[in-house]
Amino acid sequence: MKMHKHGGDIYHSENCLDFSANCNPLGVPESVKQAIIESFTHLAHYPQVGYEPLKKAIAQYEKCDENYVICGNGAAELIYTLCHAAKPKKALIPAPTFAEYELALESIDCEITYVPLDASNGFTIDQSICEWITEDIDILFLCNPNNPTGILIEREELLKIAQKCKQNDTLLVIDECFLDFVKHPDVYTLLDELYRFENVFLLKAFTKRYAMAGVRLGYGLCSNQDLLDKMKGSVQPWNLSVMAQYAGIAALKEHSYVEEARQIIFEEQEYLKKELTACGLEVFPSTSNYIFFHGPVGLKDKCAKHNVLIRDCSNYTGLADGWYRVAVLLHEENTQLIEVLRHILRDGK
């Protein structure tokens, strides 16, 4: 099995500027910090099993049936729980995409078929993937927008994929953790289609939207109650800490904070694409809060010498050395990144 390798490893790089993890550039909302402090009065007690207040708050936020909601210790736990509950024998995943799907499937000895994505067509995922959805495929993971490429799957294509999966009794997992940071998320989500597609499971996270990676809180949305019951039976009852439950309820009230971050990202995304291209790097049309590009081998290590962390994507299935991803941060931080890259690309170190 592959080793866990992700962005955000600031623990081995002190005083660094971290572009390797794609969280809200505004940082944790003050209301969330205060909610965590308030939760301290309950630390002597077990967390609430079933997390009903949080579940209700998520349903209100998503405007969906409360029974559709399931929470986890981060979206990553839900991926593993889903695999252990559904017990797929054969899976389909694009390459490249988020490595955790592959790792979770390997943990249950599931056979994996990879759909290779091609740089020549921008790593696009479209309805042609339907040709790969055969009767023996038990589960398909899609990330929308895809990680690390940032490329969106159009809603019309998603609906065709969902229908093909339904015909073949294939569970379709759509990871929407980065959808909050695209310009028109409602155009791409299948949230309003869950009632007629019991085979669709949507994955969401507080991590990216509210910069709460250290809290560990994610949730899934699905109309298949049998599947959700199996998932609940596949995880220990106190998987959400008291702090996470308090933090989640507080975070869901932060509407203006999320919108402010979205506007910053839209503006800074264009700045970074322009400047990275001007540096001579091959930049792809990412739509979310990170930029995917191709550059010289060894760029990550050279950036680290300047106390800047970027994501080396060579460990993604389907990618090799020279592929990178950087988060969209605040303008001052983004200009520092560009200055470092200019220096490295000019002087070679």
Side-chain angles (χ1 to χ4, degrees):
M1 179 181 289
K2 294 183 178 179
M3 295 297 292
H4 290 261
K5 182 179 177 183
H6 299 284
D9 184 13
I10 55 116
Y11 303 101
H12 294 94
S13 304
E14 295 183 2
N15 303 315
C16 63
L17 190 56
D18 186 15
F19 284 86
S20 67
N22 313 312
C23 296
N24 191 315
L26 294 178
V28 184
E30 289 302 317
S31 65
V32 172
K33 295 178 182 179
Q34 187 58 42
I36 291 175
I37 292 172
E38 292 173 2
S39 76
F40 290 174
T41 59
H42 295 280
L43 292 187
H45 307 290
Y46 284 100
Q48 180 174 355
V49 175
Y51 43 81
E52 292 304 322
L54 175 59
K55 189 175 178 181
K56 183 176 181 179
I58 291 171
Q60 291 176 342
Y61 179 89
E62 295 287 359
K63 298 180 177 61
C64 71
D65 190 319
E66 188 175 331
N67 292 319
Y68 287 11
V69 180
I70 186 169
C71 293
N73 189 261
E77 183 187 60
L78 286 165
I79 294 169
Y80 280 83
T81 304
L82 180 62
C83 288
H84 283 261
K87 296 180 173 59
K89 299 299 182 183
K90 188 170 183 179
L92 189 66
I93 57 175
T97 195
F98 185 45
E100 215 65 40
Y101 315 141
E102 183 178 4
L103 292 169
L105 290 165
E106 288 177 345
S107 75
I108 59 168
D109 297 322
C110 179
E111 179 184 348
I112 302 172
T113 297
Y114 300 94
V115 181
L117 304 182
D118 194 346
S120 64
N121 73 343
F123 295 98
T124 300
I125 300 173
D126 55 31
Q127 67 179 28
S128 64
I129 199 173
C130 288
E131 299 173 8
W132 295 73
I133 306 171
T134 52
E135 292 182 353
D136 60 335
I137 298 296
D138 300 308
I139 190 169
L140 164 61
F141 279 93
L142 295 177
C143 191
N144 199 33
N146 196 19
N147 176 9
T149 64
I151 306 301
L152 274 166
I153 309 172
E154 297 294 332
R155 178 184 172 87
E156 182 179 346
E157 313 292 349
L158 273 177
L159 287 171
K160 291 176 181 177
I161 294 169
Q163 186 60 44
K164 182 64 179 293
C165 286
K166 186 176 182 179
Q167 291 172 359
N168 286 348
D169 198 24
T170 300
L171 178 59
L172 173 59
V173 183
I174 305 176
D175 186 339
E176 295 187 349
C177 288
F178 291 106
L179 198 57
D180 298 294
F181 299 114
V182 307
K183 289 188 176 180
H184 303 288
D186 291 345
V187 173
Y188 300 95
T189 183
L190 290 193
L191 176 61
D192 60 341
E193 298 288 344
L194 291 181
Y195 73 97
R196 71 186 184 100
F197 285 108
E198 286 195 343
N199 64 308
V200 172
F201 185 98
L202 301 184
L203 191 65
K204 305 267 191 171
F206 286 75
T207 298
K208 315 303 181 185
R209 190 192 302 154
Y210 304 108
M212 288 167 48
V215 175
R216 308 310 304 140
L217 182 59
Y219 60 98
L221 302 172
C222 183
S223 62
N224 188 328
Q225 294 303 307
D226 288 340
L227 175 61
L228 295 181
D229 287 342
K230 288 179 181 178
M231 290 180 67
K232 293 170 186 174
S234 300
V235 69
Q236 56 111 347
W238 301 288
N239 63 321
L240 297 189
S241 71
V242 170
M243 291 179 288
Q245 294 188 40
Y246 269 69
I249 292 171
L252 291 167
K253 300 174 184 176
E254 289 287 347
H255 302 288
S256 60
Y257 156 89
V258 172
E259 188 56 35
E260 180 184 357
R262 280 167 46 81
Q263 296 306 317
I264 290 171
I265 287 165
F266 298 154
E267 183 175 346
E268 292 301 311
Q269 181 189 77
E270 295 307 313
Y271 166 78
L272 278 177
K273 287 179 182 177
K274 177 182 177 182
E275 295 299 326
L276 290 170
T277 301
C279 286
L281 301 167
E282 183 183 7
V283 180
F284 286 78
S286 307
T287 58
S288 193
N289 61 327
Y290 48 91
I291 310 296
F292 182 64
F293 65 93
H294 190 264
V297 173
L299 187 60
K300 174 193 172 183
D301 292 339
K302 291 178 181 179
C303 284
K305 292 179 181 179
H306 295 269
N307 294 320
V308 171
L309 300 184
I310 67 173
R311 179 67 162 93
D312 179 350
C313 296
S314 61
N315 73 312
Y316 283 81
T317 297
L319 295 179
D321 290 338
W323 293 99
Y324 305 97
R325 189 194 69 201
V326 292
V328 178
L329 302 183
L330 301 178
H331 187 68
E332 181 180 353
E333 297 164 325
N334 294 333
T335 56
Q336 291 181 56
L337 170 66
I338 297 301
E339 289 173 4
V340 167
L341 288 174
R342 284 174 181 164
H343 172 80
I344 293 171
L345 295 170
R346 182 185 66 242
D347 299 339
K349 58 182 180 181

